[in-house]
Amino acid sequence: MIRNSILWVCLVFISSATWAQQPTTLTVETQSNTLVFQTDAQNHLRTIYFGKRLKNKEELALIETQNNQRDVNTGIYNSIYTPSGSWNMLEPALNIVHADGNASTDLIYQSINTLKENEDVTLTTILLKDPVYQTEVKIFLKAYFQEDVIEQWTEIKNTEKAPITLQKYASANLYLNAQKFYLTHYLGAWGREMRPEETALTGGIKVIDSKLGTRTNLYEPPTFMLSFNKPSEEDQGDILLGTLGWSGNFKIDFEVDSYHNLRVIAGINPHASAYPLASNTVFKTPSFIYTLSHQGKGFASRNLHRWARKYRILDGTGERLTLLNNWEATYFDFDQQKITNLFKDGKKLGVDLFLLDDGWFANKYPRNDDTAGLGDWEENRKKLPDGLGYLVKEAQKTGIKFGIWLEPEMVNPRSELYEKHPDWVVKQPQRPEHYFRNQLVLDLSNPQVQDYVFGVVDKLFTKNPGLAFIKWDCNAVTFNAHSAYLQARGESQGKFYVEYIKGLYSVLERIRVKYPKIPMMLCSGGGGRVDYEALKYFTEFWPSDNTEPLERIFIQWNYSHYFPAVATCNHVTDWGKQPLKFRTDVAMMGKLGFDIVVEHLSKDDLVFGQLAIENYNKLKNIIWQGEQYRLVDPYKNDIASLMYVDENQSKAIMFNYLVSNRFELTATPRAIQLKGLNPNKRYKIEEINLYANTPSTLNSSLILSGDFLMTVGYNPEVNDKRTSVILTINEVK
């Protein structure tokens, strides 16, 4: 039985004739894993093990004796944080140009400190120092024992009398041992987010990165999966899930060395970001978050989900609002009367909140399309003569809450803000402006711009205290990166990409200090910005503008490896040819919302939608807080199936969808083995989300044991007439 304890850190000394020859062994543990570091004869600290937790602690120091992988050329491979330019000839984690122009750094182990934050979390700090320049590097490892998650980051301190330049400054440098490695990463574009690609890693370096500045996940997120020795499986094998908590440019290197082991170096992308660090100042890198599973990727996902809900996502164990959005009902074409009429539709449907999307603002350059108005955040007097306050009150009278769309980091050239403050805009002074969605990025490295963006949000809440929700969008990438603010101060443009994101976080921190509980959706033209640093400030995120339900099954499936359902916004829209039931069933797999014209629904569809929301309200806590199990992979089968199980294993909900209507596929060919239930409990299965007078084909009186359901399985009878099937599974006592 694994003991219930917190992170364990110890120093183990191997007997030797002199202290100088004694290696020091440092060990970090979570519930399932052991991470071991050890010094060499020169006191360089190296990673010698990361794997299943070892029972006999006295044997930890002997791990290195069993690996014949050291010679004069390759002894650096497993450095805890590989410096550049001294004894290293591999891809570095740290590259410094010192004040005298020397580009070499050496790092010697100095000390370890352990701080127990609570019964689950312990922070370990390891100090390394350059013996010549005295540059200090602190490695932080925060271990979440029960969740099997480690959060790692680095602090670099310049102790020289003059500035140094950080050419590369990674968050973490892992060293992994296996015979083979398979990397799953995710390609994408607008509407095509999170498309997985699994590839065997071979000698050399594989890089995933972004240089987009903002909306940095558009082509590739800072999120990946590593499978050891064989391609990834759901419930078997060693799997590492990793993700960088950073909303800006990132770079993750995967280097297979000559011993066929893997070096993973993750952090801020050093591209165009040589960062000057003043004397006696500290640079803190973003967090790299990872979990190691020995029971497949499903177990790893559940680790991350529990960690995220408990420690990272804003109000991760709290409530969420089911909303009706006007975007697809009106786009930019609306007025006050049309919006207030939609409130009644929202109330009739049964949602909690109405969200007014793009197009409500600007007067000199009214926001009637996406070519004008961004930056001028005051109500358009023609569309909304009585202002947002009137809409807030009218929504409340109707019995629902009111929320608003914002894109405060951006500006249209056709705007009063651009005319007044062209120096606030990110652009090259000697090059033509280049637009993305007819807009440019505001310079958040500038404190005045930060004050302005905070003021936009603060003014909205001050004038409209009943405002209940914000959708925070970010649609443009950064072209012609240049900060007039940094130039005026004589500072390096190499700071821009980093300082922009720091400025963004500063604004969000100020918002959360003053408005700690207001729900906010992290949106970026879809999944252009989804990471665990931004999610400190947001209750949820928008995975993709692509809401076609078949596409969404795959998009949501891939996000589910890293992010819990409580944070994943799924909306029912008119995209695709699927019936309302299918669209609604797909959207119920996370945080449900609607973007439809309610008055266009048939009587039967309206009644179905109302019933579906009632069912969702009864089951949403299981979906949001339950353990998720992916049952049937849509990439390998004609159906997709997953389920959520509550903490007591007494209630569950199972989602099933037909994703490939192939010839002669008339029903689910075989039973699906369920997961996560108690084998000794008995369960009753019932189908929900059916139209009135449409009986289920399933036997609702059947009671089966958890053992039967997880061993033999259950057939939901998905077919071309029953393309989506939702089942509730309840314990019978």
Side-chain angles (χ1 to χ4, degrees):
M1 178 178 178
I2 297 177
R3 59 184 174 88
N4 183 16
S5 66
I6 61 164
L7 164 83
W8 180 73
V9 179
C10 72
L11 303 181
V12 181
F13 296 98
I14 298 178
S15 59
S16 180
T18 64
W19 185 89
Q21 295 174 320
Q22 295 174 342
T24 301
T25 305
L26 316 176
T27 306
V28 174
E29 286 192 350
T30 62
Q31 184 169 218
S32 303
N33 299 309
T34 303
L35 177 57
V36 186
F37 307 106
Q38 192 173 77
T39 57
D40 63 12
Q42 292 77 38
N43 225 23
H44 296 128
L45 192 61
R46 299 173 292 114
T47 304
I48 63 170
Y49 181 80
F50 184 30
K52 285 185 179 180
R53 189 175 173 197
L54 302 179
K55 295 179 180 180
N56 299 318
K57 311 307 178 198
E58 65 275 8
E59 295 178 335
L60 294 172
L62 302 176
I63 293 173
E64 180 69 1
T65 65
Q66 302 306 305
N67 294 322
N68 185 23
Q69 295 184 350
R70 285 182 57 77
D71 58 48
V72 294
N73 296 315
T74 59
I76 179 56
Y77 278 11
N78 57 347
S79 171
I80 187 176
Y81 194 68
T82 313
S84 174
S86 52
W87 34 270
N88 169 45
M89 292 175 283
L90 302 173
E91 183 65 27
L94 178 68
N95 186 357
I96 294 175
V97 177
H98 296 279
D100 63 359
N102 192 317
S104 68
T105 299
D106 195 6
L107 294 175
I108 302 299
Y109 170 71
Q110 303 294 313
S111 64
I112 183 173
N113 180 66
T114 304
L115 174 65
K116 177 180 175 182
E117 296 187 355
N118 56 49
E119 289 303 311
D120 186 39
V121 183
T122 299
L123 177 64
T124 299
T125 306
I126 298 171
L127 176 62
L128 312 174
K129 187 178 290 188
D130 187 306
V132 175
Y133 289 94
Q134 300 300 300
T135 303
E136 293 183 1
V137 172
K138 289 183 179 178
I139 309 291
F140 295 85
L141 297 122
K142 181 177 280 190
Y144 301 83
F145 186 85
Q146 297 295 339
E147 294 76 21
D148 272 328
V149 168
I150 295 176
E151 181 181 2
Q152 185 170 339
W153 70 93
T154 302
E155 287 185 0
I156 305 159
K157 183 177 181 181
N158 176 15
T159 59
E160 299 181 41
K161 294 181 180 180
I164 63 175
T165 302
L166 306 182
Q167 300 282 358
K168 188 174 183 181
Y169 32 99
S171 298
N173 185 171
L174 306 187
Y175 192 71
L176 306 170
N177 302 88
Q179 297 298 315
K180 294 181 180 180
F181 301 92
Y182 295 85
L183 170 68
T184 301
H185 64 113
Y186 301 87
L187 305 176
W190 180 84
R192 303 192 299 276
E193 291 84 358
M194 292 295 285
R195 298 199 170 192
E197 182 176 281
E198 186 170 40
T199 182
L201 293 174
T202 57
I205 302 178
K206 168 76 173 180
V207 175
I208 63 174
D209 75 341
S210 172
K211 303 179 183 72
L212 302 180
T214 51
R215 200 179 175 187
T216 49
N217 295 10
L218 181 60
Y219 301 138
E220 181 99 41
T223 299
F224 66 88
M225 179 189 309
L226 283 170
S227 181
F228 298 71
N229 299 318
K230 61 181 181 179
S232 61
E233 296 182 34
E234 188 67 31
D235 300 305
Q236 295 181 357
D238 294 336
I239 299 285
L240 185 140
L241 299 186
T243 184
L244 186 70
W246 181 245
S247 306
N249 295 344
F250 65 87
K251 184 182 182 188
I252 307 177
D253 304 305
F254 303 89
E255 182 174 20
V256 176
D257 69 20
S258 60
Y259 289 124
H260 305 290
N261 294 321
L262 182 65
R263 306 173 70 244
V264 180
I265 301 173
I268 293 173
N269 197 329
H271 166 75
S273 296
Y275 194 94
L277 188 63
S279 177
N280 291 316
T281 58
V282 174
F283 184 91
K284 180 182 178 182
T285 71
S287 293
F288 178 61
I289 300 135
Y290 53 100
T291 183
L292 178 62
S293 162
H294 309 290
Q295 301 174 53
K297 55 191 176 183
F299 188 85
S301 294
R302 291 186 288 277
N303 286 343
L304 267 185
H305 294 174
R306 285 192 300 272
W307 170 83
R309 289 191 299 261
K310 187 174 181 181
Y311 293 107
R312 188 50 51 94
I313 296 169
L314 183 67
D315 197 22
T317 58
E319 285 295 312
R320 297 294 187 271
L321 298 169
T322 302
L323 63 81
L324 174 66
N325 194 355
N326 73 297
W327 180 245
E328 294 197 14
T330 68
Y331 295 98
F332 293 101
D333 183 20
F334 60 82
D335 58 23
Q336 186 168 283
Q337 186 61 50
K338 187 179 289 188
I339 294 300
T340 54
N341 287 340
L342 293 176
F343 296 164
K344 300 180 181 67
D345 290 341
K347 180 63 176 177
K348 183 192 303 183
L349 186 61
V351 300
D352 305 310
L353 175 134
F354 179 87
L355 173 64
L356 178 60
D357 213 291
D358 196 355
W360 59 268
F361 51 91
N363 289 288
K364 182 178 180 180
Y365 302 101
R367 183 71 168 175
N368 295 322
D369 54 37
D370 66 9
T371 65
L374 275 183
D376 301 342
W377 299 102
E378 55 183 23
E379 299 95 323
N380 179 276
R381 290 185 290 272
K382 184 176 180 180
K383 292 181 180 181
L384 306 177
D386 295 318
L388 292 176
Y390 172 80
L391 296 181
V392 171
K393 292 176 182 177
E394 288 300 303
Q396 291 172 340
K397 288 179 184 178
T398 309
I400 59 177
K401 298 179 180 180
F402 182 83
I404 199 76
W405 176 95
L406 287 174
E407 193 174 2
E409 299 168 65
M410 305 291 163
V411 63
N412 284 127
R414 291 183 63 223
S415 68
E416 292 184 81
L417 180 66
Y418 183 91
E419 291 176 346
K420 293 176 182 176
H421 297 287
D423 56 317
W424 285 8
V425 178
V426 176
K427 58 179 181 176
Q428 292 281 354
Q430 295 179 324
R431 298 189 185 279
E433 293 177 354
H434 192 67
Y435 306 131
F436 195 107
R437 200 182 181 237
N438 304 302
Q439 62 197 62
L440 295 165
V441 179
L442 292 175
D443 182 6
L444 280 176
S445 72
N446 185 339
Q448 285 184 293
V449 178
Q450 295 171 30
D451 291 342
Y452 166 77
V453 173
F454 170 76
V456 168
V457 179
D458 189 39
K459 184 178 179 181
L460 278 172
F461 284 122
T462 301
K463 289 180 61 179
N464 310 289
L467 194 64
F469 186 90
I470 284 182
K471 177 182 177 182
W472 184 298
D473 216 338
C474 172
N475 282 296
V477 301
T478 304
F479 292 124
N480 288 331
H482 177 86
S483 167
Y485 168 76
L486 293 175
Q487 182 181 35
R489 291 170 58 88
E491 297 189 48
S492 169
Q493 294 294 324
K495 298 175 66 174
F496 168 72
Y497 284 119
V498 173
E499 293 304 310
Y500 180 94
I501 299 302
K502 287 184 176 181
L504 172 64
Y505 293 156
S506 177
V507 171
L508 293 171
E509 184 68 30
R510 290 169 67 184
I511 291 171
R512 282 311 176 191
V513 168
K514 191 166 184 179
Y515 306 102
K517 296 184 179 180
I518 297 295
M520 294 205 307
M521 179 198 296
L522 178 61
C523 180
S524 187
R529 179 191 279 167
V530 184
D531 66 85
Y532 274 126
E533 188 66 22
L535 283 170
K536 286 180 177 179
Y537 308 105
F538 291 87
T539 49
E540 55 218 69
F541 71 91
W542 184 235
S544 176
D545 281 345
N546 184 347
T547 54
E548 200 285 328
L550 277 174
E551 292 292 324
R552 263 303 184 117
I553 289 171
F554 291 88
I555 292 171
Q556 292 167 199
W557 183 273
N558 292 318
Y559 274 112
S560 79
H561 288 88
Y562 307 93
F563 301 97
V566 70
T568 308
C569 295
N570 308 325
H571 289 184
V572 181
T573 74
D574 290 330
W575 281 44
K577 300 178 180 180
Q578 304 298 326
L580 180 66
K581 171 177 166 53
F582 190 94
R583 288 178 274 145
T584 304
D585 289 355
V586 170
M588 282 178 62
M589 283 195 292
K591 190 259 185 181
L592 177 65
F594 292 83
D595 200 338
I596 57 175
V597 184
V598 177
E599 65 177 13
H600 291 175
L601 296 177
S602 69
K603 181 179 179 181
D604 287 345
D605 279 347
L606 176 60
V607 172
F608 169 81
Q610 293 167 335
L611 178 62
I613 291 176
E614 289 179 14
N615 287 333
Y616 183 74
N617 287 337
K618 295 174 186 176
L619 299 164
K620 60 187 180 183
N621 284 330
I622 301 173
I623 299 170
W624 295 347
Q625 305 300 331
E627 296 280 83
Q628 182 199 72
Y629 295 88
R630 291 179 291 266
L631 307 178
V632 181
D633 187 342
Y635 286 93
K636 301 176 182 178
N637 300 275
D638 294 319
I639 66 170
S641 181
L642 59 78
M643 65 185 290
Y644 299 92
V645 183
D646 76 349
E647 183 180 9
N648 299 319
Q649 298 176 301
S650 60
K651 296 180 180 180
I653 180 168
M654 180 182 179
F655 296 91
N656 308 276
Y657 310 101
L658 182 66
V659 297
S660 177
N661 193 1
R662 299 175 65 187
F663 181 65
E664 291 186 342
L665 180 66
T666 57
T668 314
R670 61 182 63 86
I672 297 172
Q673 291 176 314
L674 278 62
K675 301 174 186 177
L677 302 176
N678 186 324
N680 300 315
K681 290 185 176 182
R682 299 165 68 241
Y683 297 93
K684 183 178 182 180
I685 299 178
E686 295 182 278
E687 184 174 0
I688 63 167
N689 276 22
L690 293 165
Y691 276 77
N693 303 316
T694 303
S696 174
T697 63
L698 305 176
N699 182 357
S700 62
S701 64
L702 192 63
I703 296 175
L704 299 168
S705 69
D707 176 65
F708 182 94
L709 291 170
M710 292 189 294
T711 304
V712 176
Y714 186 85
N715 194 325
E717 298 184 9
V718 177
N719 56 54
D720 58 358
K721 301 295 190 296
R722 290 165 48 82
T723 55
S724 65
V725 177
I726 299 182
L727 305 176
T728 60
I729 302 143
N730 292 292
E731 180 186 1
V732 177
K733 297 183 180 180

